[in-house]
Amino acid sequence: MLTVFDKALLNIIQTDLPIASRPFAILAEQLQVEEAYVIERLQYLKAHGYIRRIGPFFDSDRLGYVGTLVAVRVQPAHMREVAETINQYSGVTHNYERDGFYNLWFALLASNQAVMEKILARIKGLTGVDKLISLPATKKFKVSVRFNLQ
C-alpha cells in the first residue's frame, strides 16, 4: 500500500531525480526526512513492483539510434516462446500480446538500420511467426508519461 510519503517520492523521481553524487540525500532534504528513509522506501517500492527501474531516459534519435514499432502475427501455440525470444533483444522496450490479426506488438531500438533489419529478419524466421511488419516512426509527438499520484 502506498503511503502519502511514497506518492510524494514517486511524483518527484518520475522526472526530477537530482543528478548528484547523493541524489537521495537531496530528495530527503526536499521531503524533510533522512536519506536512509528515502532509500528504504525506494527499496520497498521496487521490491513490491511499484518501481520497475530507476534510470535515465535517453533521446534515442539524438544518440543516432533508429526505432520502429513492430506488429507480428504469431501462432497462439508459439506465443510465449516468440515473446521470450523477442524480449532477449536489448533494444526491445515494450512487448505486448494483443487481440487482432497482428497479435504481438513491440517497440525496437537499434544502433543503425542494418542492425535493426538483421534483428527483424531473425524474428521473422522464428517458428510460429506467420507475418511481421515494421512501422518506423516518422515524427515524434510525445515520449514521456508522468503520473500525478495523490
Side-chain angles (χ1 to χ4, degrees):
M1 178 105 184
L2 290 175
T3 66
V4 171
F5 177 84
D6 294 339
K7 292 176 184 178
L9 179 59
L10 290 170
N11 282 336
I12 293 172
I13 67 167
Q14 289 180 68
T15 56
D16 296 322
L17 184 66
I19 298 175
S21 61
R22 294 182 58 202
F24 305 125
I26 295 170
L27 292 176
E29 187 176 324
Q30 290 175 342
L31 296 165
Q32 300 177 346
V33 295
E34 296 294 320
E35 179 183 20
Y37 186 67
V38 169
I39 293 170
E40 175 190 317
R41 293 312 300 166
L42 289 173
Q43 289 171 334
Y44 171 87
L45 294 167
K46 175 100 170 80
H48 289 82
Y50 292 102
I51 296 174
R52 210 171 2 173
R53 71 177 194 93
I54 295 176
F57 187 78
F58 298 106
D59 185 333
S60 58
D61 290 344
R62 293 193 69 172
L63 293 172
Y65 280 73
V66 293
T68 189
L69 175 66
V70 183
V72 187
R73 176 163 178 82
V74 180
Q75 296 167 13
H78 295 280
M79 180 61 74
R80 178 167 295 281
E81 67 192 71
V82 169
E84 289 175 357
T85 299
I86 289 170
N87 290 344
Q88 293 177 9
Y89 290 99
S90 62
V92 172
T93 60
H94 302 80
N95 190 2
Y96 297 99
E97 181 178 359
R98 295 184 183 273
D99 291 332
F101 182 80
Y102 291 101
N103 52 1
L104 189 66
W105 292 73
F106 63 95
L108 175 65
L109 291 172
S111 56
N112 60 55
Q113 193 64 37
V115 169
M116 177 175 290
E117 289 173 11
K118 191 173 180 179
I119 293 169
L120 293 176
R122 286 181 184 157
I123 292 170
K124 194 173 186 176
L126 292 172
T127 300
V129 172
D130 292 335
K131 195 168 177 75
L132 178 150
I133 57 172
S134 174
L135 304 162
T138 56
K139 184 174 182 177
K140 191 180 295 181
F141 292 98
K142 183 178 183 228
V143 173
S144 67
V145 174
R146 185 174 196 281
F147 300 101
N148 186 15
L149 302 171
Q150 298 177 3

